[in-house]
Amino acid sequence: MRADRLVSLVLLLRQHGRLSAAALARELEVSTRTVLRDIEALSAAGVPVYAERGRHGGFALLPGFRTELTGLNHDEALALLIAGSRRGAQAFGLGSALASAMLKVVDALPESYRVTAAGAAERLLIDPETDLLSRRTSPEQEVPDAVVAEIRRAVLAGHRLRIHYAASGQGAEWRTVDPIGLVTVRDQGYLLATRSGEDRTYRLSRVRAAEELPEPAQRPDRVDLDQAWRDRSTRFRTGGEQVVVRVRLHPGRREALVTTALAVLSEEAEADGRLRMEVSFQDRRHAEWALWQLATGAEALSPEWLRTRLRERATAIANTYAFPME
């Protein structure tokens, strides 16, 4: 699209300072005549691009135009880096910074582009708070921005951190940790850290207060956060009182099962189109609840105790409605 190409042209000039028409054509994979027409369109739109003659000449932007975005502060710049996920910005306490940064970006656009951008923003909605069934997609409580900001500062500065954390089913306690990084998954934020040398993962929604400490954190200088998260996810899926269930289900119910299960261990299609899967759940109660939600769309093949519990549930329901109301 031409609009995308015009933006790319401006960004190339900002990055390189000055480029010839031939160099721009190579970068944009168009002809030099197309580049010249694009330059004319940018000038007409108010973008201060000018031509320098001579052997080493080319096209460049006026210096003032290159510095129009220097008003971004640290948090705003950080928010733009994770702007691919608006929920991610919210989870890390950068929602207001993202909004402020985007206002500055829009303000830096030429008037004709600004109107177009504003119109486009009205036509796009990313990750609304409810789905088509009016279910909230972020059911957990929001973490105060001040708390997340304190955690974020400790993570980025490489300082130790005290958190007042309430584990599931327990009261809040103060813990001193060495923060490694922040992760957001399905709209939930997590702090990856170590405590007394042991890996720990803390859900941000359970942090009641936080305090950045002055001493440096005991952690590697560099970290592969994606790999660290995969390692911890694997340990989580294979630990505790988890149960493995073999199930046969209608393919239309696959998404519902995958959404509730911890992990899919195996999957194969049968001749009749149904799926035979092996999945894991956190515990017995979790497995029973998940399979009951699927009703006749799924059949638990094993373990036997799960089949028994589902049969008892179904029998109790059938008995309740066995006779009409008098």
Side-chain angles (χ1 to χ4, degrees):
M1 294 177 61
R2 191 185 188 199
D4 293 337
R5 191 174 68 244
L6 292 177
V7 172
S8 297
L9 196 157
V10 172
L11 293 176
L12 284 170
L13 294 179
R14 285 189 176 186
Q15 181 179 358
H16 296 284
R18 181 175 62 247
L19 288 172
S20 66
L24 287 168
R26 285 194 300 271
E27 293 286 346
L28 299 172
E29 299 181 349
V30 296
S31 67
T32 54
R33 293 186 61 184
T34 297
V35 168
L36 294 177
R37 286 197 297 268
D38 288 348
I39 293 292
E40 291 181 1
L42 288 173
S43 297
V47 178
V49 58
Y50 67 96
E52 291 186 351
R53 307 296 180 182
R55 181 179 178 183
H56 300 291
F59 295 98
L61 296 168
L62 289 177
F65 189 77
R66 294 168 59 89
T67 59
E68 286 178 346
L69 294 182
T70 55
L72 292 176
N73 62 37
H74 176 269
D75 281 353
E76 291 167 347
L78 184 61
L80 285 177
L81 290 176
I82 62 171
S85 168
R86 181 177 63 85
R87 296 286 189 180
Q90 295 291 349
F92 296 151
L94 291 165
S96 60
L98 178 59
S100 176
M102 295 311 296
L103 284 175
K104 291 183 179 180
V105 171
V106 172
D107 186 64
L109 294 173
E111 179 62 29
S112 58
Y113 286 10
R114 192 180 308 143
V115 173
T116 302
E122 294 177 353
R123 304 288 179 176
L124 303 175
L125 177 62
I126 302 173
D127 290 337
E129 292 187 356
T130 59
D131 62 14
L132 285 175
L133 299 179
S134 296
R135 297 173 300 193
R136 291 188 62 84
T137 55
S138 297
E140 295 207 8
Q141 67 180 54
E142 294 185 3
V143 188
D145 286 347
V147 173
V148 183
E150 194 76 5
I151 296 173
R152 189 176 68 246
R153 281 193 294 268
V155 169
L156 299 181
H159 290 167
R160 304 194 82 187
L161 179 70
R162 289 184 73 233
I163 55 174
H164 198 219
Y165 188 77
S168 179
Q170 302 179 24
E173 296 180 357
W174 283 101
R175 310 158 190 235
T176 300
V177 302
D178 295 296
I180 293 175
L182 290 166
V183 177
T184 177
V185 179
R186 293 182 180 177
D187 305 335
Q188 303 301 334
Y190 297 88
L191 167 67
L192 272 58
T194 60
R195 186 182 181 201
S196 300
E198 299 292 331
D199 288 346
R200 294 288 186 269
T201 303
Y202 301 100
R203 186 173 295 186
L204 294 185
S205 61
R206 294 175 179 168
V207 179
R208 303 294 180 255
E211 177 187 359
E212 179 188 4
L213 302 177
E215 60 262 30
Q218 301 299 312
R219 67 181 191 181
D221 293 335
R222 300 186 63 84
V223 63
D224 185 341
L225 204 58
D226 186 55
Q227 183 61 52
W229 178 256
R230 287 199 298 268
D231 291 344
R232 295 184 186 207
S233 297
T234 299
R235 289 197 296 271
F236 177 77
R237 291 195 302 268
T238 57
E241 301 178 357
Q242 295 174 17
V243 298
V244 175
V245 175
R246 292 176 59 248
V247 61
R248 186 171 181 266
L249 75 158
H250 188 280
R253 304 296 284 161
R254 182 187 183 280
E255 183 178 358
L257 175 65
V258 171
T259 300
T260 56
L262 286 180
V264 176
L265 305 179
S266 67
E267 178 178 354
E268 60 179 304
E270 297 185 334
D272 62 357
R274 287 186 171 258
L275 301 174
R276 187 178 291 262
M277 301 176 65
E278 191 173 61
V279 295
S280 63
F281 294 97
Q282 185 63 45
D283 50 32
R284 289 190 171 203
R285 184 178 180 182
H286 182 198
E288 180 182 341
W289 173 86
L291 269 295
W292 181 256
Q293 305 306 307
L294 298 176
T296 58
E299 177 189 1
L301 303 177
S302 68
E304 189 59 37
W305 64 261
L306 179 57
R307 292 178 58 86
T308 300
R309 284 294 300 134
L310 293 173
R311 182 172 60 252
E312 291 172 349
R313 273 196 173 201
T315 300
I317 291 292
N319 290 337
T320 299
Y321 295 100
F323 303 101
M325 289 284 294
E326 295 182 358

